Amino acid sequence: MMRKFGLILVGLLCSILASVAFARADCLDVVLDGEPPRLEVDQKICHPGFTIGYSARMRSPLWSAQKITIEQLSDAKAHARNCSIGPSRAVEDGATNADYLRSGYDRGHMTPAGDFGADQQLTCGLANMVPQIPELNRRVWRMIEAQARELAGEQGGAFVITGPNYSAVPNYLSERIPIPESVFKIVITPIGAWAYVATNSLPITCRLISVAQLEALIGVRLAPSLDEGRRVNSWMPHPVEGCTLREDG
């Protein structure tokens, strides 16, 4: 009887662990209403606070989604920036530092390390990065990330979706890593919803637009559960320096 009970207990435990593993593998608690961007990906790479939608063929993220909380921002302020960039252990034959060597491109975070404290190293795998020109990554994009952090703190947290946009025939680093034509970021707070899109070439063109305008540009629903009113017409911040407000639909 005890042996039978033990087997039942082990089976129940395995079932529970499998359920937990499945939930963790799905890792959609970081996107609004659990609905990720409608971009087909090969793998979801789950981390505390953010998830990467990864393409094995492109060796790149197609999106990176995060949930910014007040507690997380407090943790980020308590820790110095410490990011050691390298290949992601969660993927096979992914990007390497050698792919970027002497390319003239930065390894541009999609979910930024600056949003995290003790867990920031988790953002530093190359599966969370795309090639960005330094003039974008170190200036305009950094200000967009900082604004998202600031407003998430002021407005009670945020859901953020960041990703690359590629031309029909992109150029490649080392014939392995595609170079985005532009990069985008959606920020959804309890008060507003907005999007930035910036070209990844000089001269940089950066626009602050509605979520609906960005989805029309990309050609896919990036925040599927966002209600139509907020998708089209929601509160937006003033654009960061180097970006302009696009008012046409």
Side-chain angles (χ1 to χ4, degrees):
M1 177 65 74
M2 289 299 296
R3 183 184 177 193
K4 183 177 181 180
F5 176 77
L7 290 173
I8 292 173
L9 185 61
V10 170
L12 180 60
L13 180 59
C14 289
S15 178
I16 291 170
L17 290 174
S19 297
V20 170
F22 176 80
R24 189 74 193 107
D26 201 31
C27 53
L28 297 180
D29 56 325
V30 297
V31 293
L32 185 66
D33 296 328
E35 293 194 45
R38 291 179 180 165
L39 280 165
E40 185 176 347
V41 297
D42 298 307
Q43 181 180 354
K44 293 188 187 77
I45 304 172
C46 310
H47 295 294
F50 75 105
T51 294
I52 301 164
Y54 182 78
S55 168
R57 180 178 64 86
M58 304 183 83
R59 300 183 177 88
S60 301
L62 296 187
W63 52 264
S64 192
Q66 61 181 128
K67 182 179 181 180
I68 301 179
T69 65
I70 302 301
E71 294 77 16
Q72 177 187 323
L73 292 174
S74 178
D75 185 43
K77 289 179 181 178
H79 288 78
R81 177 75 178 268
N82 183 20
C83 186
S84 178
I85 297 175
S88 296
R89 287 181 285 182
V91 304
E92 295 183 6
D93 190 32
T96 68
N97 287 326
D99 291 317
Y100 284 84
L101 187 64
R102 291 188 289 275
S103 68
Y105 284 87
D106 283 357
R107 298 160 295 182
H109 282 70
M110 295 291 88
T111 289
D115 289 356
F116 296 84
D119 289 335
Q120 65 183 276
Q121 183 58 40
L122 297 174
T123 71
C124 300
L126 286 165
N128 182 44
M129 302 183 192
V130 299
Q132 284 185 308
I133 61 172
E135 293 83 357
L136 174 62
N137 185 46
R138 303 177 196 181
R139 298 173 189 170
V140 174
W141 202 250
R142 180 172 291 184
M143 288 187 287
I144 291 171
E145 292 172 340
Q147 184 189 66
R149 274 193 293 275
E150 179 182 358
L151 291 174
E154 292 175 359
Q155 298 182 8
F159 290 99
V160 182
I161 300 167
T162 309
N165 184 37
Y166 298 99
S167 64
V169 184
N171 293 320
Y172 281 76
L173 296 186
S174 305
E175 300 182 350
R176 285 170 35 91
I177 313 300
I179 301 170
E181 185 175 56
S182 60
V183 286
F184 64 82
K185 186 179 291 289
I186 293 173
V187 183
I188 302 169
T189 75
I191 293 174
W194 62 92
Y196 280 100
V197 61
T199 56
N200 194 30
S201 59
L202 294 174
I204 296 168
T205 300
C206 176
R207 297 285 184 264
L208 172 63
I209 59 179
S210 70
V211 175
Q213 287 171 327
L214 177 63
E215 290 177 333
L217 177 67
I218 303 298
V220 68
R221 281 292 179 99
L222 297 165
S225 68
L226 185 64
D227 65 87
E228 199 61 27
R230 300 184 74 205
R231 174 177 279 107
V232 174
N233 184 23
S234 184
W235 181 89
M236 291 184 180
H238 293 294
V240 301
E241 183 181 351
C243 299
T244 59
L245 177 64
R246 176 181 166 184
E247 298 179 348
D248 60 304

